[in-house]
Amino acid sequence: MWKILLKTVPVNLRRDMGTYILMGVLVAVGMYIAAASAGLTYSYYMAYEENNRISNSEDGQFEVMEPLNTQEEQAIRQRGYTLERAFCFDAVLDNDSVLRVTKPRQSIDCIVLDDGTLPQTDTEAVLEKCYAYYHELGVSDSVRVADKSLRISGIGSVSDYDMPSVRMSDFSSDSEAFGLIFVTEDCYQRLLSALGSNTRESYVYAYKLAEGTSDADLRRLLVDDLGLLPRLRTFVPA
């Protein structure tokens, strides 16, 4: 039996050598692809976490039909919650794409710049990087919003729009058709006035939870203690 095997094995090896070599190559390539994919996934995860840390990513956000007054905001902050106004409105450009106009955030969902600087004057703006990429726009280029020409001072992103989409319910993003632009307070008001009464401003608040609290605790504070249920349009934990 052993003699037969010793005679047939070399014959089979020579006959199927090409197959064995191909199988070995395929195994090696598969292991390389798996290792590379794992490395890329880990690198992406680390970059995502670092981006969230730098921007101080929100724990969630809610939208109301009219802005909170000073007393209501103070009542929330006194419970240890952090609030960030993320008011915005949409402007349709000449190319039929939509830019969501908002202001740089101060404490939550801050802009992470890839290039350039934050807007320093009323004629400057930071453009969201995916929209900038699809429209081949960069620092020092201009974009026209509500018949106002704005110089792009920076390109960047924010963690609450890591996949820029018009609505949170959208399953995919289309950065060719939709993006964000960040402008100064005065520029924001000028653009909103220029677009007129047909443009709806969204009163969005990003929040960070107080230590030892939950999203449900904040919602109960808004609804039960402050009586904001009739004004509460959405409440979305991260």
Side-chain angles (χ1 to χ4, degrees), residues 99 114 126-139 141 143 152 154-156 164 175-176 178-180:
L99 279 181
D114 289 5
V126 167
L127 195 61
E128 187 270 321
K129 64 180 182 181
C130 293
Y131 183 92
Y133 170 80
Y134 276 101
H135 291 271
E136 300 181 345
L137 294 169
V139 172
D141 289 334
V143 61
I152 299 171
I155 302 293
S175 292
E176 187 174 2
F178 174 77
L180 290 93

Side-chain angles (χ1 to χ4, degrees), residues 48-88:
Y48 176 79
E49 288 296 309
E50 179 66 8
N51 187 73
N52 284 346
R53 184 191 67 80
I54 295 173
S55 66
N56 193 26
S57 182
E58 66 184 36
D59 287 331
Q61 61 177 244
F62 61 89
E63 182 184 352
V64 289
M65 295 182 181
E66 59 184 52
L68 304 179
N69 59 42
T70 302
Q71 291 74 22
E72 290 165 340
E73 287 194 16
Q74 287 179 345
I76 296 170
R77 292 191 171 99
Q78 286 172 355
R79 300 286 186 91
Y81 299 98
T82 304
L83 283 182
E84 175 79 48
R85 289 188 175 191
F87 296 0
C88 60

